[in-house]
Amino acid sequence: MRANEFITETINSDILNPNFHHEQEINGMIYSAKTGPMSKSGKQLYLTIECRNPEIPDRIAGMAVFIIMNTIKGQWLESMDTYVVGDYKMSGIASTMYAYAKMLGNDVRPSTVQMPGGKAMWKAWRKSGAAKHLMK
């Protein structure tokens, strides 16, 4: 049996640590990822990815909050909220936040509840073939 036949992990186990933090510059913007508890009980975790312009570090250009799904069907990230602020819209920040989540070793699946922008983004990714790279 080959390793890829029995390994089903689709999230990076490092993000299960509530103290997880990672930062990287991509295309001149700073992307940071951190894990935190969803509630006071701390049982449900989420991964937050923020994008900032290094020239204006106290202003968020975009943010994606992913719930860490852990079911009998597997593990993956699913966005609870994704947004990009005014001047930064249509600049690729949302796509880069999802790609960054994937780069960290996580599969990302579309939310079952999406706003029109999210639906359009996933539709474009499916059409271009990018969705398959995010999901597996």
Side-chain angles (χ1 to χ4, degrees):
M1 182 178 292
R2 296 178 185 204
N4 65 350
E5 292 174 334
F6 62 86
I7 295 175
T8 59
E9 180 179 301
T10 53
I11 63 167
N12 177 350
S13 60
D14 291 344
I15 71 169
L16 298 176
N17 178 345
N19 297 315
F20 174 80
H21 184 264
H22 184 271
E23 191 170 282
Q24 182 163 343
E25 181 179 341
I26 304 171
N27 296 328
M29 300 293 273
I30 304 298
Y31 290 82
S32 61
K34 65 181 177 180
T35 302
M38 201 65 175
S39 63
K40 291 180 182 178
S41 70
K43 291 183 179 180
Q44 182 66 54
L45 294 174
Y46 64 92
L47 177 72
T48 300
I49 295 180
E50 294 180 352
C51 174
R52 296 177 187 272
N53 182 336
E55 295 174 8
I56 315 168
D58 59 336
R59 182 176 174 222
I60 293 175
M63 180 186 292
V65 180
F66 295 96
I67 188 167
I68 299 170
M69 303 296 289
N70 190 6
T71 73
I72 58 171
K73 294 181 180 182
Q75 298 175 310
W76 67 90
L77 298 181
E78 194 172 290
S79 175
M80 290 179 46
D81 189 20
T82 301
Y83 67 90
V84 177
V85 177
D87 297 347
Y88 296 100
K89 287 185 179 185
M90 303 304 291
S91 65
I93 287 175
S95 297
T96 303
M97 288 189 293
Y98 279 70
Y100 180 46
K102 179 65 177 176
M103 183 201 71
L104 290 171
N106 306 290
D107 284 350
V108 181
R109 294 187 188 173
S111 173
T112 55
V113 180
Q114 294 178 325
M115 300 296 286
K119 287 180 182 179
M121 185 169 65
W122 277 97
K123 183 178 179 180
W125 288 342
R126 284 187 182 97
K127 187 175 181 179
S128 72
K132 67 181 177 186
H133 299 293
L134 287 169
M135 297 174 74
K136 284 208 178 210

